[in-house]
Amino acid sequence: MAEQGCGGSGGDGGGAGRALPPHSPSGVLLQTVEMHTGGEPLRIVPRLEAAERAAAAGLSLLSLRREVAAGHDHVRRALMHEPRGHAAMYGAVVVRGAAAAEGAHLAALFLHCAGYSAMCGHAVIGLGRFALDYGLVPAPTRPETAVRLRCPCGPVTAFVPWDGRRSGNPVRFHSVPAFAAATDLAIDVPGYGKVVVDIGYGGTFYAFLSAEQLGLDVCSSKTRDLVSAASAVTEAVKKQFKLHHPESEDLAFLYGTIVTDGKDAFSEEPTTNICVFADEQVDRSPTGSGVTARIALQFHKGLIQLGQTRTFRSSTTGSLFTGKAVKASGLCWTFPLSQGLLCSVGKQKSLSVPGEGVRRREEPVGTSGIFRILCCVAAACFGMCERAGGGVCINAR
């Protein structure tokens, strides 16, 4: 790391700059690249030696996810939690080598404040630009390069503009096959009564319902009220409906609940939603995997057709994703309602800045926590000011 000026030495306020204090030889030094997509942060770890060693042993990405969670979770906590992160932080560990085989340029593990995910659309958009700008794709093509990623849920392709020097916007991606797992499912939610939900898969499972069923408005109700209601729905669905995935039971978990404005029929106007996932974490973007799952549900119900583009808006930041059903695979899996569907999701902006995490010798990695009230303030201003919490400033203008 290059030396940087620190305002002088001694008490005179001038003089030569001083080097930053060295990190402990026995400690962990992690370099990160800070990005956001639609206001949702993405902290990329370009290299994690523990993950590389495990991948070299031939572990699948799902197995690698279990290995990292069991033996190296302190890294996730240090990066996601306070003081380096915040309650809305999201991350991705880049894995190359064996885990990114079968024609992929890279693989990724997805991190959040409560654990690990199987898919993340906003991260795929960011990783597509990262892969080009950091030279992970040999011989990129103009005007657009296909960046092939392996995610725990399967292969995903990001399509990234490339001008010969750097990546650009807009970025889009083709998802893993999405499908409707259940529709019109009656669920009893303590404190809210009986509601009707749909469950869709877009790399991970979500429950969907309109805010009206919860006595709320996705555009005008307090975010805290929407989060509480969505979390109650998630817990109720987990207890009352058994999920299955046709390829791996490791993917058979409900990631969260997406509360919508109820406007599922095709329209040129945006439809608004809020995604509450993991441990009451709010996605500031419209949620790429959630958009994918919602498109699959709308297609299954005959509300949209192949090739029809819909616009999805985040209720917290106003950021927009577009999405469309590209191809119906015709695969009828074990679900009575499902058909594999290839979806394309796109976003206008993603931005990255390099960062380097240096920890002082006396600071123990893993001594961190989450302060939700601080996160709520950061989330409220993030979309308008386009700056991240946790001390990282990102300017997208």
Side-chain angles (χ1 to χ4, degrees), residues 189-381:
V189 182
Y192 298 91
K194 186 156 296 204
V195 300
V196 177
V197 305
D198 297 331
I199 299 178
Y201 179 82
T204 190
F205 287 98
Y206 295 95
F208 295 83
L209 78 165
S210 66
E212 183 180 10
Q213 292 192 68
L214 302 165
L216 299 169
D217 186 296
V218 75
C219 296
S220 62
S221 293
K222 294 179 179 179
T223 299
R224 178 69 260 176
D225 293 339
L226 290 165
V227 170
S228 296
S231 299
V233 172
T234 297
E235 293 308 309
V237 173
K238 286 179 179 179
K239 293 176 181 177
Q240 298 172 45
F241 184 77
K242 175 67 174 175
L243 282 170
H244 297 284
H245 190 277
E247 295 178 348
S248 173
E249 285 304 300
D250 279 350
L251 298 172
F253 64 93
L254 188 68
Y255 191 36
T257 291
I258 296 180
V259 181
T260 79
D261 57 9
K263 298 176 181 178
D264 288 326
F266 177 75
S267 170
E268 300 287 347
E269 296 299 315
T271 175
T272 302
N273 59 236
I274 181 172
C275 173
V276 182
F277 65 97
D279 185 14
E280 297 193 342
Q281 193 163 335
V282 176
D283 192 334
R284 296 165 177 174
S285 79
T287 309
S289 55
V291 164
T292 302
R294 196 172 172 199
I295 290 171
L297 286 164
Q298 292 173 356
F299 179 81
H300 169 77
K301 292 182 172 184
L303 300 174
I304 61 172
Q305 305 300 316
L306 291 178
Q308 285 188 317
T309 298
R310 291 219 64 186
T311 302
F312 299 82
R313 176 169 49 208
S314 163
S315 74
T316 58
T317 65
S319 60
L320 303 173
F321 282 0
T322 59
K324 63 183 177 181
V326 176
K327 180 175 68 174
S329 71
L331 283 175
C332 290
W333 289 327
T334 56
F335 296 90
L337 302 173
S338 65
Q339 177 178 223
L341 187 69
L342 179 64
C343 297
S344 177
V345 178
K347 176 66 185 83
Q348 293 299 313
K349 279 188 178 182
S350 61
L351 181 82
S352 69
V353 295
E356 184 162 308
V358 180
R359 76 175 184 86
R360 296 184 61 180
R361 186 171 309 173
E362 64 272 19
E363 180 190 354
V365 169
T367 304
S368 54
I370 298 175
F371 299 91
R372 295 194 180 279
I373 190 167
L374 173 63
C375 168
C376 291
V377 174
C381 72

Side-chain angles (χ1 to χ4, degrees), residues 44-130:
I44 297 176
V45 182
R47 184 182 183 191
L48 183 62
E49 291 184 1
E52 289 183 354
R53 289 194 299 268
L59 293 180
S60 68
L61 267 184
L62 283 173
S63 298
L64 181 60
R65 187 180 68 158
R66 289 195 300 271
E67 172 74 14
V68 171
H72 307 283
D73 195 52
H74 62 284
V75 175
R76 178 193 63 82
R77 296 194 303 270
L79 292 171
M80 299 294 104
H81 292 181
E82 302 276 359
R84 303 170 194 85
H86 51 84
M89 181 56 77
Y90 202 94
V93 174
V94 173
V95 183
R96 286 179 278 178
E102 302 180 30
H105 294 113
L106 71 157
L109 297 176
F110 301 122
L111 322 174
H112 52 77
C113 287
Y116 303 81
S117 178
M119 171 59 184
C120 179
H122 95 272
V124 165
I125 290 171
L127 285 166
R129 292 198 61 178
F130 166 83

Side-chain angles (χ1 to χ4, degrees), residues 129 131-135 140-142 145 161-168:
R129 292 198 61 178
L132 283 181
D133 290 336
Y134 283 77
T141 58
R142 287 184 285 185
T145 296
W162 175 252
D163 66 4
R165 297 182 301 107
R166 59 173 295 176
S167 67

